[in-house]
Amino acid sequence: MQLVGNWNYPTSVRFGAGRVAELGAAAKAAAMSRPLLVTDPQLARFAFVQRALMVLQGEGVAAALFCDVKSNPVAANVEAGLKVLREGGHDGVIAVGGGSALDAGKVVAFMAGQTRPLWDFEDVGDWWTRAEPSGILPIVAVPTTAGTGSEVGRAGVITDEGTSTKKVIFHPKMMPTVTICDPELTVAMPPAITAGTGMDALAHCLEAFCGPFYHPLADGIAVEGMRLIKESLVRACKQGRDLEARAHMMSAAAMGATAFQKALGAIHALSHPVGALYDTHHGRTNAVFMPYVLAFNRPAIEDRIARLAAYLGFAPTFDAFLTWVLELRDEIGIPHTLAGLEVDDQQFGRMSRMALKDPTAGGNPVPLDEAACHRLYTNALMGKI
Ligand SMILES: NC(=O)c1ccc[n+]([C@@H]2O[C@H](COP(=O)([O-])OP(=O)(O)OC[C@H]3O[C@@H](n4cnc5c(N)ncnc54)[C@H](O)[C@@H]3O)[C@@H](O)[C@H]2O)c1
Ligand SMILES: [Fe+2]
């Protein structure tokens, strides 16, 4: 089967190898003629970013480049991008990269015409209604990792350096108008990033599937996403040029982010403070916590995980699924404990309070409290499942 498609769910997605060549058409479809291309400094040196700029130029779309975006982007990156966007009179953002560049680009487009400060739009209650919708510029997203699914999401994660917290900025209009999913862009991703980002996609599908809310649409997307990951993640890590595996991982990433409109849970709640305080990779950090959180949630999710295990072709038991997660982590080089991320117990008290306040904590199937977060951090350091 040819892994190509034009999808209109959850936004307009042009999926298929080589389709980054359609970037000019995508920019025009999103009504931009002077876009700012936002990426990170490492990717800015990659041939495909240079090619993307040439493709745009060839189509008469005058794009400028902004690449001052760090991994785990901070507010200063958004402010710098905003300055370039406003001074250059740009009329849209083309965000190219992993979750960091996509989120930074999306938030720059969102902030373009706002008068209130960034943190007024944190994803708390209905704060998103504070935004002036006409001040949000259109976005075209081009993912180069297969993990966060930010290319089909309505949020951006930005670190508040003042409080060392990862904050989610949300608005329905932050959904990219057009997304180009070109798996060829991911073939040069190193195995460690492929593994970490792929485990982020798995964490999204898994936490959405386990969330304690009624959302059969999300559940259906999540289980098929996990099947694609089971078939493809090890292959993508070990044979980077396997385009079929790369394509399935790119789909699974988009599916994870589509499904987590339902819920995320303790994996993300515990991971965000680690990312904010230790600047670790988001997906790799999630992957460390996954088995400890699964075991903690077992009383609430045992039946549904058994059903999931059957769908994935394992024995229909919780233990079969947990065993697969442990084997997968091992096979793709994810550390088993927090020590592998160079995280010790020095800040567990602070991290437990931060985890409990994280907006994803409320979606965990077993209610969390500070003591439970502390215990989970300790388990993840001691390797105790
Ligand atoms: N918006 C959302 O819904 C959402 C969901 C999950 C995570 N996030 C956020 O996304 C960020 C993590 O994104 P990520 O995991 O994609 O990593 P990333 O964007 O930080 O990229 C990691 C590294 O991989 C490099 N890279 C990217 N694509 C590459 C390629 N094709 N070839 C070689 N190198 C490549 C980057 O230059 C960078 O050095 C975190 O800030 C996280 O909080 C957002
Ligand atoms: Fe995530």
Side-chain angles (χ1 to χ4, degrees):
M1 196 194 326
Q2 245 203 324
L3 306 180
V4 177
N6 292 327
W7 307 332
N8 285 298
Y9 179 69
T11 187
S12 168
V13 179
R14 298 170 182 229
F15 191 101
R19 294 194 71 180
V20 74
E22 296 172 30
L23 195 54
K28 286 177 188 166
M32 31 175 112
S33 58
R34 288 176 55 79
L36 184 65
L37 191 151
V38 176
T39 189
D40 72 38
Q42 196 181 323
L43 293 172
R45 291 193 293 271
F46 274 49
F48 59 68
V49 169
Q50 300 306 326
R51 263 203 316 275
L53 287 167
M54 274 162 55
V55 164
L56 289 166
Q57 203 178 18
E59 301 256 344
V61 179
L65 179 70
F66 173 77
C67 67
D68 182 13
V69 176
K70 70 180 278 300
S71 273
N72 296 320
V74 294
N77 297 140
V78 173
E79 275 155 31
L82 205 47
K83 189 163 180 284
V84 173
L85 180 95
R86 286 176 176 157
E87 285 176 2
H90 297 288
D91 58 1
V93 167
I94 298 181
V96 181
S100 297
L102 294 183
D103 283 0
K106 284 164 64 181
V107 175
V108 166
F110 165 74
M111 287 299 288
Q114 308 305 325
T115 49
R116 299 174 72 133
L118 177 62
W119 304 129
D120 278 10
F121 304 112
E122 196 187 343
D123 189 13
V124 176
D126 66 353
W127 286 13
W128 64 271
T129 59
R130 295 169 165 178
E132 174 50 53
S134 65
I136 304 171
L137 292 179
I139 298 159
V140 170
V142 185
T144 66
T145 62
T148 71
S150 178
E151 64 275 13
V152 294
R154 301 167 299 167
V157 184
I158 306 293
T159 299
D160 178 350
E161 286 181 297
T163 59
S164 295
T165 39
K166 278 194 158 225
K167 292 185 173 166
V168 177
I169 307 298
F170 168 86
H171 194 282
K173 275 191 79 178
M174 227 192 287
M175 174 68 87
T177 309
V178 183
T179 287
I180 298 184
C181 284
D182 182 343
E184 263 175 16
L185 301 183
T186 64
V187 296
M189 218 194 332
I193 300 176
T194 303
T197 50
M199 289 301 283
D200 191 23
L202 178 59
H204 295 158
C205 291
L206 180 61
E207 295 212 285
F209 182 65
C210 294
F213 309 111
Y214 180 67
H215 202 326
L217 286 79
D219 293 343
I221 292 168
V223 290
E224 178 61 5
M226 286 188 268
R227 189 187 68 80
L228 291 174
I229 292 166
K230 181 210 153 205
E231 301 296 329
S232 309
L233 180 53
V234 172
R235 274 165 61 198
C237 288
K238 299 206 164 162
Q239 299 134 42
R241 306 209 73 81
D242 182 335
L243 250 188
E244 186 185 73
R246 292 294 193 182
H248 287 326
M249 285 310 302
M250 195 161 249
S251 293
M255 292 165 85
T258 306
F260 80 55
Q261 290 190 23
K262 176 188 168 192
L264 289 172
I267 295 175
H268 276 80
L270 296 165
S271 169
H272 283 153
V274 176
L277 295 171
Y278 294 88
D279 212 10
T280 54
H281 181 260
H282 171 74
R284 188 170 164 85
T285 313
N286 288 343
V288 171
F289 286 117
M290 193 175 286
Y292 308 101
V293 170
L294 265 172
F296 173 80
N297 286 337
R298 183 173 187 147
I301 60 173
E302 185 150 9
D303 290 354
R304 66 173 47 215
I305 293 289
R307 249 188 300 131
L308 170 67
Y311 182 69
L312 297 179
F314 306 132
T317 65
F318 178 92
D319 286 320
F321 183 79
L322 179 60
T323 302
W324 170 66
V325 168
L326 289 167
E327 286 171 0
L328 173 66
R329 276 157 97 246
D330 190 44
E331 199 167 356
I332 62 177
I334 301 289
H336 184 55
T337 72
L338 280 175
L341 300 174
E342 292 175 35
V343 173
D344 57 23
D345 61 1
Q346 291 295 305
Q347 304 199 67
F348 277 5
R350 179 182 182 194
M351 284 156 58
S352 303
R353 288 188 293 278
M354 287 167 76
L356 197 59
K357 272 203 227 140
D358 194 272
T360 60
N364 199 60
V366 174
L368 293 168
D369 57 23
E370 210 177 302
C373 293
H374 205 288
R375 203 163 64 244
L376 279 162
Y377 279 127
T378 305
N379 290 350
L381 185 63
M382 308 307 289
K384 187 168 153 238
I385 292 177

